[in-house]
Structures are given as structure tokens and as C-alpha cells.
Amino acid sequence: MLILYFFIGLLASIIGALPLGASNIAVINTTLKQNASQAFKIAIAAGIAEVILSYYALHFNMAVKDFFNANQWLQISIAILLLGIGSFLFFKSNNRKSKSATKSNKLLKSKYATGFLLGLLNPPVLVYWLVVYGFINTNNIMLSLQSSLLVLFLFFVGVYAGKILTLYI
């Protein structure tokens, strides 16, 4: 039964990492422009960030769920805001080149830093893990911070392995 938590973490992480995100694109781009070992550095650090985000979502799962259920206006506001931002970005022209891009490139020379920052600064991943924990806890598989240390360890090892496996493939 304990190994089930590893496979749940593995499967949830693979499903969450399949859609193209910033870390996926960085791994693909690095593989094409440099080599697979440099891309693997990004994947390692992105896996650590994925575990941090999934832990954070586990910690605040019930509080966020109760808050969103009590405030439907917030759900509607977020949907409208995301739709507006998406529309703006869709119709925005990319003619201007930023001068600050060269400065930020110097900060992100390390592939580990790139992978970690791209993995950690990814709000959709946090929302995904909130949904995953809601789904897990409604299907007779309880996972919380009060779970045994072995259960949490196996689950987070599965999350890490799933993220690295998906990015490496």
C-alpha cells in the first residue's frame, strides 16, 4: 500500500509536466542548442522546484479550497483576469526588444538556477497541485502533512522522479 503513494506522485507529476511549460521549453531549447547533459541540469533543478510547489500546495490545500468555495466572486474575477491577460498577450506585438534581457541572461547562466527559477515561478503548477490534492483526498486516499513521514517521502520521491523523467524524455 505504501508504494501506491510513490506511483500516485509519479503519475501526477508526469501528467502535470506533459503540457509545454517554461521548464519544458528550456530543456528542449538547451538540448537543441547545447547538449543533453546541460538540459539534464535544468531538469534536476526543476524537479526540486516541483517538489517544493507540491509541498506548498499540500500545506495550504484545505485553506485555499475553503476560501475559494466561500468566495465565488474571486473565482469569477480570476477567470476574467486570466482571460484579459491572455487576450492582451495574444494580440500584443513583439516588435520591441527589451534592454533588460541581456542583464537577466547574465543572472541565469547556471542551468541549475534556470531550472529552479523556471520551475518555482510557475503559478499554473501550484494550481495543478491544489487540484491534484483535492482529487486525491476525495478518492479514499488521504494525503496530508499529518500522513506518516514514509508516505510523504515516497510521494515526493515519486513527484521528483516523474518531473525529471518527463523532462528528460
Side-chain angles (χ1 to χ4, degrees):
M1 180 66 178
L2 287 177
I3 199 74
L4 177 67
Y5 288 98
F6 171 79
F7 286 113
I8 290 171
L10 183 75
L11 182 64
S13 185
I14 289 172
I15 291 170
L18 282 178
L20 279 180
S23 57
N24 300 52
I25 293 171
V27 167
I28 293 168
N29 191 26
T30 303
T31 303
L32 293 175
K33 290 186 176 181
Q34 294 176 3
N35 56 32
S37 66
Q38 292 296 316
F40 191 64
K41 292 178 182 178
I42 294 173
I44 289 170
I48 294 169
E50 185 87 11
V51 170
I52 291 170
L53 283 178
S54 65
Y55 175 79
Y56 186 76
L58 180 63
H59 183 68
F60 290 107
N61 181 34
M62 294 309 293
V64 170
K65 181 180 173 185
D66 293 341
F67 183 74
F68 274 101
N69 286 339
N71 297 303
Q72 189 169 4
W73 65 269
L74 185 63
Q75 297 173 29
I76 295 169
S77 300
I78 289 174
I80 291 171
L81 180 70
L82 290 176
L83 184 64
I85 291 171
S87 299
F88 173 75
L89 292 174
F90 183 74
F91 293 113
K92 183 184 117 180
S93 67
N94 292 333
N95 293 337
R96 292 171 283 173
K97 193 172 185 179
S98 175
K99 292 180 182 179
S100 65
T102 57
K103 291 180 183 178
S104 66
N105 286 341
K106 291 178 184 177
L107 292 174
L108 297 176
K109 289 288 184 188
S110 168
K111 296 299 179 189
Y112 294 112
T114 301
F116 185 75
L117 289 175
L118 290 176
L120 193 62
L121 302 175
N122 199 347
V125 172
L126 185 60
V127 172
Y128 170 75
W129 282 109
L130 287 170
V131 170
V132 165
Y133 290 130
F135 181 76
I136 288 172
N137 289 332
T138 58
N139 287 312
N140 297 329
I141 302 172
M142 291 306 296
L143 186 66
S144 68
L145 292 179
Q146 286 75 34
S147 299
S148 74
L149 192 58
L150 182 60
V151 166
L152 290 173
F153 177 75
L154 287 172
F155 180 78
F156 288 126
V157 166
V159 168
Y160 183 74
K163 182 70 172 188
I164 288 183
L165 181 69
T166 306
L167 289 178
Y168 192 68
I169 290 174

